[in-house]
Amino acid sequence: VIGTAIDYADYCQKQVEIELNGVGDNPKFFVDQKIQLSGANFQGTPVCLPMDMLGAALTMVCVMSERRLNRLNNPALSEGLPAFLTKGAGMFSGLMLSQYTADMQIVEQRILSTPASIQSIPAAADQEDFVSMGMNTAIKNFQILDNAYGVIGIELMAAAQALDFREHHYGRGVKVAKDTIRKHVDHLDEDRPLYDDHDKMNLGRPWLSLPPSKGVGPECWHLGSSPGVLRIKSVVAAAATTTEVDKLQVFGKALSNE
């Protein structure tokens, strides 16, 4: 499933690059003749429509992340883990409210995943009879992306909590991931305000700095090395005409068992 989202990121990158390198927009430069002509043949739909689907793909990945979080919290599905990953369910809330936070972010993502490309409104005495609304798509995709960091960060925080209750012998890659999370977020023994933990996982994003895993599980532990993953934010930023694009490391293949 995540592979499908990355495939679509590849397609979006291709479409954005075609438009950035195209000559159909305004203006055109003829360097050898030292002239510039305003063609005004631009149309943003070739970028806007793929960007709409990219936002939906990100949301889809986050929905699956939240469902895994639900399995960890739900004692009917978690194969022996305590309810809400706390030692005293009923007395303590555990990570129940963390799931609420992830769900809220996904609800917002779903609202923002409504296509902008179908929202054209005629203007200028109907001279502008169809516009792409592409800028709106790029702007809302930034929010979808920011929420994705929050949702996946909460899932990984819950995964580390769940491992504390297991007596399994972890794989080396899992141990590296858990140790990295534990440098920033402590085990939840008794209830405490969790917004600091959420912020550390979202804003700090320690799970993006996992070291390369030569001989330690799949190489994707080094999230910066996944070519498909790196494209998403750069595609969004290019479509929004951002001048400086940083790398995106939004998904971990730690989550890509699907």
Side-chain angles (χ1 to χ4, degrees), residues 8 12 16 47-56 137-138 141 235-237 239:
Y8 212 86
C12 289
V16 170
V47 170
C48 183
L49 196 57
M51 294 296 292
D52 272 336
M53 290 306 300
L54 182 60
T137 304
N141 276 3
V235 171
V236 174

Side-chain angles (χ1 to χ4, degrees), residues 176-196:
V176 169
K178 181 175 181 287
D179 290 347
T180 300
I181 293 168
R182 281 287 170 257
K183 290 178 183 178
H184 302 271
V185 175
D186 294 331
H187 173 81
L188 182 64
D189 186 45
E190 296 183 357
D191 282 351
R192 63 175 182 262
L194 292 173
Y195 61 85
D196 280 337

Side-chain angles (χ1 to χ4, degrees), residues 41 51 58 66 69 72 74 76 99 113 128 132 134 138 144 147 149 177 211 222 257:
N41 296 316
M51 294 296 292
L58 282 168
E66 189 279 337
L69 171 62
L72 293 174
N74 187 344
Q99 184 177 9
S113 293
E128 300 289 348
S132 72
I144 291 172
N147 286 18
Y149 284 121
H222 183 43
N257 292 330

Side-chain angles (χ1 to χ4, degrees), residues 144-158:
I144 291 172
L145 184 59
D146 191 59
N147 286 18
Y149 284 121
V151 173
I152 295 172
I154 287 172
E155 183 199 351
L156 291 176
M157 187 176 81

